[in-house]
Amino acid sequence: MLDSAELKNQLRTFICRELIRNPNYPLRDDEPLVTGGLIDSFAIAQIGVFVEKAFKVYVPDTELTVDNMDSVEKMAACVLASAQKGR
Amino acid sequence: MTTSPPIDYEPLDRSATLIEAFERSRIDPASLAITYIETGCDPVRTTRSEFAITARRYAAAMRAVGIHPGDLVLVAHEDTMSLFYSFWGLLLMGAVPSIYTIPNERLFPEIYMANVAALIKDIDARALVTSDALAEQFANRIPCPVTGFSRVLEALPEARAAVPAPDHRAQPDDLAYVQTSSGTTGNQRCVPTTHRMVLVQLAALARRMDVRQDDVVANWMPLYHDGGLILGAVMPLLCGVPVVMMSPLDWVRHPAILFHAIGQYGATFCNMPNFAFNHLVRRVRERDLEGLSLAGVRAFVNGSERVYHTSFEGFLERFGPLGVTRDRLGVAYGLAENTLMAAHTRTGDPLVYDAVDRRRLELEQVAAPVDPAHSDAVINVSCGPPLEGVAIEIRDDDDRPLPERRVGQVAIRSGSLFTGYHRRPDLSADLFRGEWFLTGDMGYLADGQLYIVGRLKDLIINGGKNIYPADLEEIVSTIPGVRPGRVAVFGVPDEAEGTELIAVVAEIDSEDPEVKAEVGRQIRRAITQQMSLTVSFVDVLSERWIIKTSSGKTSRVANRRKWLEGRAAQG
C-alpha cells in the first residue's frame, strides 16, 4: 500500500530537482505547478514516467491532465486513485 | 520498406491554386483523407469526398456569417478538425485565412486578448472566427467583427443538400494564407503566402521526401505553425495520402499517442522539432511500447529548431529495438519566409554527421574536420542538400559568398520565397539582396550539404517556438522590487531536453532569501501568464551581476557565458 505522505515527499523531491531544477525550492503541497508557471505540460508526461518507475503505478493518459497534476497534493491523490484501480 | 509507386505529381506541378490541386487529384474520393485521434476518444475517419463536401459547407457558412472574398480572416480555435475545415472553407470562398494560436489555462486572458487585438490591427484582419467563449469576451473589444464558432456551425448547409462549389477563382499569385509568427506586439513578422509559393514548395518537398502512394503522415504539430499546417495537413491532402492528426496539447501530455498513430494507423512519415525526439525518449512509458513496432516508419524528420546529434542518438538507443534505424531519420532546415523548407535530406539516406574543431569554429568561423572522438569535436548534423529550385549561399558580413566549410550567414533564392512581411515591408527590406534573402541563420556548406551552427538574430528557440528575449526582459522589469534595467534573459542549450531553455537573472535590493524566493515566483508566474512559457532557471540576486555593454545595453552573450561558467563552477 502506498503511503500518502511518503508519496508526496518523493513527488516533491522529484519535482524540485528534475522539473524546477532547484533542489532547495520551498515547494508547498498546494502550490499551483502548471498554472503557477513552475512546470509545463511536458512535465505532466514526465510525472507519468516517474510514477511508473518509482511506484509501479500506471496513471492512464486520460488522468494525466492539468487539473489532476497542478499541485503535489492533487498529483498524490491521482496516483493513489490509479493505484487503487490498478489492483 | 515500401515498394508502392510514387504519388501523382501532376496536380502539384500543373495547378494554379491549392483548391485546383485538390480537385485535379485522381485519387479515389472514397479513400481515407484524415484520421483524427485523441486520448480517451474514438478516432474520427474522413474520406476525401467527405472532406470536400464538409469544406464546401464551411465555405457557404463563412459567406453566411458575413465574410467576403478577399477578406483576411483570423481563425483561433482549439479543435484541430474545425480549424482545418475553416481554413479550407475560407480558401474555397476566396477569403484569406490566418491561423493564430489559442489561449491555454496558463495564459492570462487579458494578455491574449490584447495580443489578438494588436495582431488584427497589424495584419488588417476583417474578421475573427473563434470559440464561443472567446468570441463573447472579444465582442466590441477588437477592431473587427467576431464570430463564435457555433454561429458557423448553425450556418452550415444541410449535409445532404448539394452545395455548389463557390464560383471564386483565385490566381497563382493571390494570397492563399498569412502565416502568423511570434514577435513583439506591433512587430509581428507575418508571411503572406501565395498559392504559387505553396505549390512550388510542395512539388519540391514531396519529391525530396519521395512520397509514395501507400505512405501515411502523422502530425501533432499545431496548425498555426507552418510545419503543422503545410506538412501535417495541406501536403497529405494534395499528395493524396492520408494523415493521422492529433492535437498538440494532447501529444505534449501523452506523447505515446504518436506511436498509436504509427502502430494502429500505419503512419510512415513524421516531421517534428528536435525537442520532440527528446520528449519521446524521456517521457513515453514502457507500458506504451509493449508490442509496438516502428519498423514501418520511413522517416522521422527533425526540423524547426537546432538539431542535436545527441537527440538522434538517444532516439536510436531507446527505439532502435523497435525498428528505428539511421536511414529512417531525416533532417530539414526551413523558414516560413520560404513557405516551409529550404533544405531536406533524402528519405532512405543515412544521417550524416560532420565532426569539426570547436576552437576553429568559434575563433576562425571555419568548419575544420576532426576525429569525432577528439575532445574538442563539435558534431553537426547535415540538413541535406537544398531543395530543387532553392539556391543556398553562405555569405560573409560584407555579403560576399564564402567557399565550402566557411561559416557565414545562410542566404537563399527560391521559387517559394516571400517578397516581404505582410504590411511590414520595412521589417524585411534590409534582408533582401536582389533575389537573395538573408535568413539570419549561420551555417556552412560541405559536399553539397547544409549545416546550421547558430544564428545572428537575438532569438531563443524553445520547443520550436521563437522567443525574443527583450519581450521577457520587459515583463520581468515590471515586477516590484526588480531593479530597473537590471534583468537579463537568454537561452541555454540543453541536451537533455534537446532545445534551448529560458534563463532569467534579475537583481533586487533585498538580501532576504524569502523575498528573493517570492520575486522568483513572481517572475515565473508573470512570464507564464503573459507569454505561456516556462522559465527553467531563475536567479534573483542582490549583488550586481548583470553585464552591460559600453552603450548600457544588456549583453545577452556575455551574461549567458558568465552564467554558464558559474553553473560549471558549481558542478
Side-chain angles (χ1 to χ4, degrees):
Chain A
M1 185 66 196
L2 270 175
D3 174 64
S4 170
E6 175 58 21
L7 176 63
K8 281 187 212 166
N9 269 337
Q10 291 204 36
L11 282 170
R12 208 182 302 114
T13 307
F14 173 77
I15 291 165
C16 290
R17 181 172 303 161
E18 298 296 322
L19 304 179
I20 303 178
R21 296 182 173 80
N22 177 1
N24 303 318
Y25 186 88
L27 182 65
R28 300 187 305 262
D29 285 356
D30 62 347
E31 189 165 345
L33 290 167
V34 182
T35 54
L38 285 170
I39 68 172
D40 55 22
S41 295
F42 294 87
I44 291 180
Q46 196 160 342
I47 297 286
V49 173
F50 172 70
V51 168
E52 185 190 44
K53 279 191 183 150
F55 309 110
K56 308 272 180 293
V57 175
Y58 183 88
V59 180
D61 275 345
T62 46
E63 301 295 314
L64 286 172
T65 60
V66 173
D67 279 350
N68 284 347
M69 297 287 135
D70 205 23
S71 69
V72 169
E73 223 151 57
K74 288 177 180 172
M75 266 181 210
C78 175
V79 172
L80 287 171
S82 295
Q84 292 281 335
K85 279 183 204 149
R87 277 157 192 278
Chain B
M1 249 322 107
T2 183
T3 51
S4 88
I7 54 157
D8 177 11
Y9 284 100
E10 205 262 343
L12 294 178
D13 291 340
R14 304 192 59 90
S15 301
T17 65
L18 302 182
I19 301 302
E20 190 189 330
F22 179 71
E23 287 166 356
R24 265 181 113 102
S25 169
R26 285 167 285 205
I27 301 287
D28 179 4
S31 63
L32 192 61
I34 302 169
T35 306
Y36 182 76
I37 61 173
E38 189 174 336
T39 298
C41 303
D42 290 330
V44 179
R45 291 185 178 81
T46 307
T47 64
R48 291 179 70 83
S49 72
E50 286 165 346
F51 178 81
I53 291 166
T54 307
R56 278 187 188 185
R57 295 170 62 215
Y58 268 74
M62 293 294 179
R63 277 309 296 264
V65 300
I67 291 164
H68 301 284
D71 283 356
L72 177 52
V73 181
L74 199 65
V75 190
H77 200 267
E78 64 274 6
D79 182 76
T80 303
M81 289 300 293
S82 305
L83 205 52
F84 193 43
Y85 281 130
S86 300
F87 177 85
W88 207 261
L90 287 164
L91 278 185
L92 273 173
M93 59 152 288
V96 179
S98 185
I99 302 179
Y100 190 62
T101 173
I102 47 157
N104 55 34
E105 57 278 284
R106 308 196 310 161
L107 198 63
F108 244 40
E110 288 297 319
I111 305 272
Y112 177 78
M113 213 172 302
N115 290 345
V116 172
L119 179 66
I120 283 170
K121 202 160 152 272
D122 285 354
I123 66 175
D124 195 23
R126 297 304 162 90
L128 168 67
V129 176
T130 189
S131 67
D132 290 350
L134 283 175
E136 200 173 304
Q137 294 178 45
F138 274 113
N140 304 321
R141 299 183 61 178
I142 55 164
C144 75
V146 185
T147 302
F149 214 76
S150 62
R151 271 189 61 211
V152 175
L153 296 178
E154 282 160 19
L156 287 179
E158 286 277 332
R160 289 207 192 86
V163 184
D167 51 11
H168 179 85
R169 281 283 157 208
Q171 300 301 310
D173 291 318
D174 284 351
L175 270 186
Y177 60 90
V178 171
Q179 177 63 50
T180 58
S181 74
S182 54
T184 14
T185 310
N187 279 315
Q188 281 270 348
R189 290 173 167 80
C190 297
V191 176
T193 310
T194 64
H195 290 272
R196 188 196 304 276
M197 284 165 65
V198 182
L199 291 169
V200 166
Q201 167 74 207
L202 289 182
L205 183 60
R207 283 184 170 92
R208 178 61 57 80
M209 290 170 65
D210 181 33
V211 181
R212 302 275 167 156
Q213 290 179 14
D214 63 358
D215 277 321
V216 178
V217 174
N219 178 58
W220 59 259
M221 283 196 289
L223 298 188
Y224 58 76
H225 187 284
D226 52 349
L229 178 64
I230 297 304
L231 264 173
V234 175
M235 188 189 81
L237 205 60
L238 301 191
C239 288
V241 300
V243 57
V244 186
M245 282 194 194
M246 292 148 272
S247 140
L249 294 176
D250 196 11
W251 176 79
V252 163
R253 289 162 198 170
H254 316 121
I257 194 172
L258 177 66
F259 291 156
H260 297 313
I262 295 164
Q264 316 261 318
Y265 303 97
T268 58
F269 275 113
C270 178
N271 184 302
M272 50 195 182
N274 189 80
F275 79 87
F277 287 79
N278 294 57
H279 189 42
L280 290 163
V281 168
R282 302 182 67 198
R283 307 198 186 103
V284 168
R285 291 175 285 184
E286 279 307 312
R287 190 190 287 194
D288 294 322
L289 299 179
E290 284 169 12
L292 177 75
S293 168
L294 300 176
V297 177
R298 293 181 63 211
F300 289 99
V301 180
N302 190 327
S304 302
E305 64 181 328
R306 182 179 156 186
V307 175
Y308 293 76
H309 82 285
T310 46
S311 299
F312 278 137
E313 293 304 314
F315 200 76
L316 284 165
E317 189 181 324
R318 178 137 197 229
F319 304 121
L322 303 181
V324 180
T325 51
R326 246 164 237 284
D327 55 355
R328 296 172 193 198
L329 296 174
V331 185
Y333 163 72
L335 56 162
E337 288 85 346
N338 193 42
T339 310
L340 184 63
M341 299 303 182
H344 197 292
T345 51
R346 286 189 183 86
T347 299
D349 281 359
L351 281 177
V352 177
Y353 289 167
D354 190 40
V356 302
D357 187 322
R358 182 189 307 272
R359 283 179 51 83
R360 295 197 62 194
L361 191 67
E362 285 173 4
L363 299 176
E364 300 166 40
Q365 282 80 51
V366 169
V370 290
D371 188 319
H374 190 281
S375 63
D376 237 359
V378 179
I379 313 281
N380 295 320
V381 187
S382 165
C383 301
L387 291 181
E388 285 300 316
V390 176
I392 294 185
E393 272 185 7
I394 304 298
R395 297 190 170 194
D396 68 10
D397 294 346
D398 300 319
D399 266 326
R400 286 175 303 219
L402 289 165
E404 282 220 326
R405 294 203 166 274
R406 289 286 303 279
V407 176
Q409 187 172 186
V410 178
I412 66 171
R413 194 185 60 197
S414 149
S416 55
L417 189 62
F418 79 145
T419 53
Y421 293 111
H422 185 67
R423 290 173 56 88
R424 290 306 300 272
D426 55 309
L427 295 174
S428 44
D430 290 351
L431 305 175
F432 282 98
R433 299 289 182 272
E435 293 179 300
W436 291 86
F437 176 70
L438 301 174
T439 62
D441 292 307
M442 301 294 285
Y444 64 93
L445 289 162
D447 300 324
Q449 312 263 323
L450 175 69
Y451 296 86
I452 300 293
V453 299
R455 64 184 160 264
L456 276 178
K457 292 177 275 198
D458 201 356
L459 189 71
I460 302 170
I461 307 186
N462 168 261
K465 250 187 280 182
N466 292 0
I467 299 150
Y468 294 89
D471 291 357
L472 304 192
E473 285 169 359
E474 203 180 306
I475 291 170
V476 177
S477 295
T478 62
I479 291 169
V482 173
R483 287 187 197 133
R486 305 297 296 177
V487 177
V489 175
F490 42 87
V492 183
D494 186 272
E495 288 203 348
E497 291 294 338
T499 193
E500 278 182 293
L501 300 180
I502 303 167
V504 177
V505 181
E507 294 176 10
I508 63 169
D509 287 328
S510 171
E511 292 183 8
D512 182 344
E514 284 196 17
V515 174
K516 286 182 178 174
E518 187 47 37
V519 170
R521 277 198 177 98
Q522 287 181 24
I523 290 174
R524 289 180 193 267
R525 203 178 306 136
I527 290 179
T528 293
Q529 291 174 344
Q530 300 190 38
M531 302 283 288
S532 191
L533 295 169
T534 300
V535 176
S536 294
F537 305 98
V538 177
D539 289 353
V540 180
L541 308 165
S542 45
E543 69 266 27
R544 284 185 91 76
W545 187 96
I546 286 162
I547 304 169
K548 296 268 183 175
T549 63
S550 50
S551 58
K553 287 168 93 179
T554 302
S555 167
R556 299 196 183 90
V557 176
N559 284 304
R560 180 198 292 114
R561 191 176 303 140
K562 180 175 178 181
W563 188 90
L564 287 171
E565 284 167 4
R567 284 261 152 179
Q570 283 170 19

